[in-house]
């Protein structure tokens, strides 16, 4: 079974975020980029599915600018068989992104489409179920582990209050959260092999964004905290402050 | 009623036939928004037979009307079916804005509804305001390292709200329950084959009002009694959380992980016990109302975001904290 994995290039989670001069985007100078962490889990899940079945290819797909090719190369080095760069300007409008992905994936021979549950830059947590809706496919979100069966995939989901096991008929869309999958490192051999793997580029069919950023700002500083004291003797004062000052107890 | 321009809708989350606390917040926020634009708030609900009766209570939270689809097949949440019904309710309603909770259920439902309606979605909002007649949403991005103020070039505006950030509604409205009959035609769906409730009926970290988290400084899972003792002292609204270091070491389940690759939460009160406060941990908890840290290292970065800190050994401070909280609660009779 072929699997498509949607990945997004995002600033490293360690990176300091500064608002750019335009006031609506970040200052990208000196920013290091990575494949969004959940997307690495999704890629690992996809590779394990095809390896487990001993059949099928993994295609990584991204909507992004020319720089996003680097993330696709990373995915090829990890083991994806081919990659597709849909060139276009990514915005916070996840529906626009989902439409560009749907245009590409509607015709692709990939019964299973995997995404991260949430991208580490816009934190929208929406492209997966939107893509599924556009493709009229069933979808399971926040899946920690999946098993490919005959005509379906069995998904283990984290929900509030417990764990749910859902069988989704193929073709379907699944978003992956942290759980069973430990993303593999690219080996030197993998990095060399990635250079010879196909990486297609075409313009993304990306509609205009209808969610507009008016302003990007640093988080409001928290009121300065204080060290109540040292060791056990500070505990009564801490609890008093929590009740009387913070109203939290 | 046929809605005018100022009607704001709120999705009513339920579990096992009970209206969830998120609905009180979402209806409250819808009522507040409606007040600012001179309209009213409507609840949109789906549930098992008789669920409508439970929805009447949302009048006290500010809902003028609650539209309810009832049916045996709607008793439990089901992504595709719920999405279709809620989208149908919205499509004919003429709403200015539609609000969802950014809970696990809301995060599953809202994007599908937005896609069915062909309108964008702003997820996990921490602020809502009306500016020059338009809705402006504030939402954290880059793991909370920045906040974006966004607006919509489409209608209705669809927004999900971070739980615990918006106060439950307090201005009562009529609370009239209206039955909604869904159009037929089930979309393709998954089938739930098993549900395992979390052990001991404990509160989920994502929905708790108070969270007590432990980090690598706890040295091993055998010491978690210290963390549990503090949680137990705080009562039934408190949940356990953990740093990624602890989860990756296999000491705690990943359902408890707080942070960039775990849960994003905004409880009223957050305890970080023996957690250093790495940037990816802060991504998950920096919007908590009050943060308490206990760490033996006075320079631990967690103290930069903590409202109150104690520098000390968690194995001494933890038990003393549990005891003091119990003492205070028994003194005040609660
Ligand atoms: C892509 C990515 C995603 C990540 N996602 C997450 C995430 O979701 N959540 C998360 O938490 N982390 C995440 N991390 C990991 C993060 O960077 C840190 O490694 C992790 O948070 C550290 O956990 P910790 O604070 O428990 O451990 P440490 O950093 O080892 O801190 C332990 C602390 O305990 C203190 N301590 C030790 N003994 C005692 C004692 N007896 N009494 C009191 N204090 C004591 C120490 O002073 C220290 O500050 C992520 C990292 C990456 C790269
Ligand atoms: N530009 C993009 N290209 C490819 N996949 C994307 C893109 N943006 C988001 N995704 C996928 O959708 C998931 C959720 O993203 P989001 O809804 O933006 O939080 C990500 O983890 C990716 O798997």
């Amino acid at each position: 079974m072929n699997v498509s994995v949607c990945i997004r290039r995002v600033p490293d989670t360690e990176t300091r975020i500064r608002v750019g001069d335009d006031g609506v985007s970040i200052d990208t100078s000196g920013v290091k980029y990575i494949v969004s962490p959940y997307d690495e889990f999704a890629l690992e899940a996809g590779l394990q599915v095809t390896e487990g079945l001993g059949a099928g290819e993994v295609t990584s797909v991204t909507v992004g600018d020319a720089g996003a090719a680097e993330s696709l190369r990373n995915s090829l080095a990890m083991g994806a068989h081919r990659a597709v760069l849909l060139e276009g300007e990514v915005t916070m409008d996840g529906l626009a992104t989902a439409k560009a992905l749907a245009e590409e994936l509607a015709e692709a021979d990939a019964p299973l489409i995997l995404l991260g549950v949430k991208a580490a830059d816009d934190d929208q947590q929406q492209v997966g179920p939107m893509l599924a809706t556009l493709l009229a496919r069933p979808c399971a979100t926040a899946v920690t582990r999946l098993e490919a069966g005959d005509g379906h995939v069995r998904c283990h989901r984290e929900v509030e209050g417990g764990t749910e096991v859902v069988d989704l008929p193929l073709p379907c869309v699944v978003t992956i959260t942290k759980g069973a999958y430990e993303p593999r490192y690219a080996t030197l051999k993998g990095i060399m092999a990635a250079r010879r793997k196909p990486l297609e580029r075409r313009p993304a069919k990306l509609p205009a964004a209808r969610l507009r950023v008016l302003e990007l700002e640093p988080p409001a500083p928290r009121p300065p905290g204080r060290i109540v004291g040292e060791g056990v003797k500070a505990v009564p004062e801490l609890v008093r402050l929590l009740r009387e000052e913070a109203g939290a107890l | 009623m046929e809605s005018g321009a100022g009607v704001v809708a709120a999705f009513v989350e339920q579990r096992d036939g009970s209206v969830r606390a998120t609905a009180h917040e979402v209806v409250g926020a819808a009522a507040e928004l409606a007040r600012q634009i001179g309209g009213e708030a409507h609840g949109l609900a789906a549930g098992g037979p008789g669920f409508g009766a439970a929805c009447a209570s949302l009048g006290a939270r500010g809902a003028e009307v609650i539209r309810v689809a009832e049916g045996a097949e709607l008793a439990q949440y089901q992504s595709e079916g719920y999405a279709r019904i809620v989208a149908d309710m919205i499509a004919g309603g003429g709403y200015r804005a539609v609000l969802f909770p950014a809970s696990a259920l809301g995060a599953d439902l809202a994007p599908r509804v937005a896609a069915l309606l062909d309108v964008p979605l702003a997820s996990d909002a921490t602020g809502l305001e009306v500016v020059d007649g338009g809705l402006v949403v504030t939402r954290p991005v880059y793991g909370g390292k920045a906040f974006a103020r966004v607006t919509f070039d489409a209608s209705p505006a669809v927004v999900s709200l971070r739980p615990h950030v918006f106060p439950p509604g307090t201005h009562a409205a009529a609370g009239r329950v209206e039955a909604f009959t869904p159009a037929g035609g089930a979309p393709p769906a998954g089938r739930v084959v098993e549900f395992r409730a979390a052990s001991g009926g404990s509160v989920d970290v994502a929905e708790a009002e108070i969270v007590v988290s432990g980090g690598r400084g706890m040295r091993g899972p055998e010491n978690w009694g210290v963390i549990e003792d503090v949680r137990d002292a705080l009562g039934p609204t408190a949940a356990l959380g953990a740093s990624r270091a602890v989860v990756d070491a296999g000491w705690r389940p990943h359902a408890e992980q707080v942070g960039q690759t775990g849960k994003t939460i905004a409880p009223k009160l957050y305890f970080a016990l023996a957690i250093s406060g790495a940037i990816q941990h802060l991504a998950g908890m920096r919007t908590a109302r009050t943060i308490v840290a206990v760490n033996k290292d006075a320079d631990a970065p967690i103290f930069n975001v903590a409202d109150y800190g104690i520098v000390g050994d968690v194995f001494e401070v933890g038990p003393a904290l549990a005891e003091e909280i119990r003492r205070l609660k028994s003194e005040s009779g609660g």
Side-chain angles (χ1 to χ4, degrees):
Chain A
M1 177 168 65
N2 293 333
V3 182
S4 288
V5 183
C6 302
I7 66 172
R8 176 159 166 141
R9 181 178 186 249
V10 301
D12 190 327
T13 55
E14 298 279 355
T15 301
R16 223 181 102 213
I17 295 295
R18 289 172 313 253
V19 178
D21 291 336
D22 63 359
V24 295
S25 64
I26 62 165
D27 176 354
T28 53
S29 56
V31 170
K32 192 182 146 229
Y33 290 91
I34 57 170
V35 174
S36 187
Y38 289 113
D39 302 355
E40 287 199 329
F41 297 127
L43 192 56
E44 180 62 37
L47 292 170
Q48 289 190 21
V49 165
T50 52
E51 287 164 0
L53 295 171
E57 292 197 331
V58 173
T59 304
S60 53
V61 184
T62 195
V63 180
D65 58 18
E70 181 197 344
S71 296
L72 293 173
R73 289 273 173 227
N74 294 345
S75 72
L76 293 171
M78 269 177 75
H81 301 82
R82 51 185 66 248
V84 181
L85 172 61
L86 302 171
E87 279 187 86
E89 195 198 337
V90 181
T91 66
M92 201 183 282
D93 185 347
L95 186 56
T97 306
K99 284 179 179 174
L101 290 169
E103 284 281 348
E104 172 68 21
L105 294 170
E107 301 303 325
D109 169 29
L112 180 61
I113 300 175
L114 302 179
L115 300 92
V117 71
K118 168 165 92 174
D121 53 355
D122 70 14
D123 292 344
Q124 280 276 59
Q125 204 170 341
Q126 56 180 223
V127 172
M130 284 175 166
L131 174 62
T133 305
L134 296 170
L135 295 175
R137 288 190 183 193
C139 172
T141 57
V143 168
T144 53
R145 181 160 63 87
L146 60 86
E147 299 144 36
D150 197 14
H152 74 274
V153 286
R154 175 156 290 193
C155 302
H156 299 257
R157 296 185 64 216
E158 243 176 45
V159 295
E160 281 153 4
T163 327
E164 188 180 84
V165 184
V166 198
D167 276 348
L168 286 192
L170 290 163
C172 64
V173 176
V174 175
T175 75
I176 304 290
T177 190
K178 181 169 176 281
Y181 300 107
E182 183 63 45
R184 63 193 67 185
Y185 285 103
T187 59
L188 189 60
K189 198 168 144 238
I191 294 168
M192 300 300 285
R195 297 195 188 144
R196 291 184 304 272
K197 290 179 179 173
L199 195 164
E200 293 172 36
R201 298 163 194 258
R202 42 185 163 267
K205 292 188 182 139
L206 198 58
R210 292 177 295 161
L211 194 61
R212 207 156 22 92
V213 179
L214 299 172
E215 199 179 350
L216 195 66
E217 42 194 26
R222 288 189 77 94
R226 71 178 110 141
I227 302 288
V228 178
E230 285 186 20
V232 170
K233 59 185 188 303
V235 168
E237 175 65 358
L238 169 67
V239 173
R240 187 191 72 76
L241 287 167
L242 286 178
R243 165 153 295 192
E244 293 172 14
E245 190 177 89
L249 282 180
Chain B
M1 73 169 234
E2 271 315 302
S3 337
V7 185
V8 180
F11 175 73
V12 176
E13 184 173 355
Q14 58 98 4
R15 190 185 292 164
D16 299 329
S18 300
V19 171
R20 313 215 58 216
T22 57
H24 299 163
E25 297 171 9
V26 176
V27 169
E32 173 55 28
L33 210 54
R35 191 190 61 73
Q36 289 181 41
I37 58 178
E40 58 187 47
H42 287 188
L44 308 178
F51 182 56
C55 290
S57 66
L58 289 167
R61 303 295 176 182
E64 185 67 25
V65 172
I66 305 101
R67 301 168 73 190
V68 187
E70 283 184 5
E73 73 290 356
L74 299 176
Q76 298 300 328
Y77 173 69
Q78 192 276 325
S79 311
E80 281 81 8
Y82 267 54
R84 172 71 63 90
I85 289 171
V86 175
D88 282 351
M89 286 178 174
I90 297 166
Y95 299 114
R96 257 301 274 296
V98 184
L99 311 182
F100 289 84
S103 56
L105 188 156
D108 188 83
L109 178 65
R112 299 176 204 248
V113 173
L116 288 171
L117 296 170
D118 193 23
V119 288
L121 162 67
S123 305
D124 206 23
T126 55
L128 283 179
E129 46 185 323
V130 179
V131 178
D132 298 332
L135 182 61
V136 175
V137 172
T138 302
R139 54 180 308 272
V141 288
Y142 301 98
K145 287 191 270 188
F147 281 74
R149 296 179 71 242
V150 302
T151 192
F152 299 83
D153 295 327
S155 181
V158 184
V159 186
S160 68
L161 310 182
R162 180 170 287 191
H164 297 309
V165 170
F166 295 84
T170 51
H171 298 286
R176 204 165 57 246
V177 174
E178 289 178 2
F180 179 87
T181 312
R191 191 171 55 88
V192 177
V193 288
E194 193 188 339
F195 179 77
R196 258 167 299 162
S199 56
S202 54
V203 200
D204 191 286
V205 60
E207 34 191 40
E209 284 192 358
I210 304 178
V211 174
V212 185
S213 289
R216 181 149 46 196
M218 295 306 299
R219 295 206 290 260
E222 66 280 6
N223 296 327
W224 235 255
V226 173
I227 307 284
E228 283 164 354
D229 193 27
V230 177
R231 190 270 315 261
D232 292 346
L234 289 160
T237 55
L240 297 178
S243 72
R244 177 168 178 173
V246 158
V247 171
D248 285 357
W251 300 353
R252 301 298 306 172
H254 39 75
E256 287 179 12
Q257 184 181 316
V258 172
Q260 190 110 42
T261 45
K263 304 269 166 66
T264 301
I265 58 174
K268 267 168 50 184
L269 182 55
Y270 186 83
F271 289 87
L273 306 181
I275 289 177
S276 60
I279 190 75
Q280 297 93 348
H281 188 77
L282 303 187
M285 41 62 77
R286 72 193 316 159
T287 55
R289 198 159 329 145
T290 302
I291 298 171
V292 176
V294 177
N295 197 302
K296 69 175 184 191
D297 174 6
D299 294 325
I302 191 73
F303 287 125
N304 298 334
V305 298
D307 301 284
Y308 305 105
I310 291 184
V311 179
D313 187 340
V314 69
F315 296 105
E316 295 166 9
V317 175
L321 185 59
E323 191 187 314
E324 183 66 17
I325 294 167
R326 285 205 176 89
R327 198 183 61 73
L328 181 84
K329 291 208 165 186
S330 67
E331 241 173 38
S332 58

